Amino acid sequence: MILKREKDEFTPYLSDASNFTGNCSELYILEHFTEIPGILAYAARKHKHVTVCGNRTGLTGSAIPESGIVVSTEKLNRIINIDPDQMTAVVEPGVILSDFIGVIESLGLYYPPDPTEGSAFIGGTVATNASGAKSFKYGSTRKFVLALDVVLPDGDTITINRGEIFAGENGFSFRTDRGRLISIPFTRFSFPSVKNAAGYYYHPGSDLIDLFIGSEGTLGIITRIKLKLLKKPASLFSCFTFFDDTARAFDFMDETRALSRGEGLTDFRAIEYFDAKSLSLLAERHPNLPSGKAAGVWFEQETKADDDPVLEEIYSLLEKHGADLDKTWASGDVNEIRKISSIRHEVSYAVNEYIASKGLRKLGTDTAVPPENFREFYQFSKDMIEKSGLQYVIYGHFGDCHMHLNMLPKNTMEFNEGRNYYARICMKAVQLGGTVSAEHGIGKIKREIFKLMYDETHILDMARIKKTLDPHCLLGVNNIFDHSWLAMINP
């Protein structure tokens, strides 16, 4: 392993893509997973917290320490095995997602999870249950994790294979590699029916592997991941279309969402929305974007060589809902699809650059609500921010009714004002049966917002899970919920 104790050596490890900053006293860069138990034993003796760090592409501060030790997985970066026949891959946590996708696609395979930052480590995407645009059709990272090797906070290890250990009426019961029996008590919290990345995934009948996926580095350190792969689609149709009326854009998304969930020809794998302000922001980088449009929608459809009927249906739907067909960008060419797809990510990049230039922290929602409540939620949020006078953009994964409303404060005073509006938007999402975090997780930044979703009893249940696996409270402290909740749990 590589050990660094001089602050100027580990400064890059103290901030993430949200501009959240932290502090630590030591950085350990792992060279082999067998080094982890010794680090954890040292941390326990010295009463130091341990934060696991990926490539710091997250937006919640979960990989950023507030004190103690940082453990980086950047050198655990091997693709151990790819089995095209079984359509599986085994990787270490430090493998860069975009590199991995490039390798498997050259073999005719496909891995759907596609968060905005392709430079994310796969271990980080598992720890946060990352998703992205393709989650509309394929779901989040959780759906593609078949097995995990995990070092628990006491240095013991466990291999978890999907389908082997389930929560019974009394909770989970399993043995570690050393034979130690661990029993995790039954919990009483429930989840919204929407896409959700807030808190531990645990309910009667759930798989143990899903408890660790999305646990944000609080329950163990992931050292090896087995992933399910799919056959690469034969071809794609990608389209970025524009509307003069926001309501008609929503009508188009509502109908294509319903068709994609049904038995029709239309089966979009992604439906993404951009409001007028997002389009204006994009136009600064792409002057050929049509001007004056109220909304833009980007979508993708997997196709076959003889898929003229589905394309006819798509163009009929575009015409029906008033899309500007003359200004629409559409292609089945691989290179053109790549260009169109990359534009979708650029709004987020532009927002991050703006926030960094102001020396502020990103202030953007990650909310999702049920489809029947989505228009109400969108209008409530938009009207409130319009009335405030704050600058903003709205975009997101509207196939999943998942909205990113990013405020663009000019200074600290506007940032603090925006935080109040952010909380009100999250409260409205919960009231409408949704979540405060659909894909980014909670981390350190959203701990207070997390309490809008779960009451004290439920958060204590989650704290009890953590303390069962981490009795010394070493790992990922202050991720998801404040350390004070752990103090309320009796040993």
Side-chain angles (χ1 to χ4, degrees), residues 145-163:
V145 179
L146 297 175
L148 294 175
D149 286 359
V150 181
V151 179
L152 299 173
D154 66 351
D156 206 345
T157 56
I158 182 172
T159 296
I160 312 170
N161 293 302
R162 184 171 293 282

Side-chain angles (χ1 to χ4, degrees), residues 40-62:
L40 293 173
Y42 165 75
R45 289 196 306 272
K46 298 293 185 180
H47 305 289
K48 293 191 173 191
H49 294 157
V50 177
T51 301
V52 184
C53 175
N55 215 16
R56 304 171 301 285
T57 58
L59 295 169
T60 66
S62 59

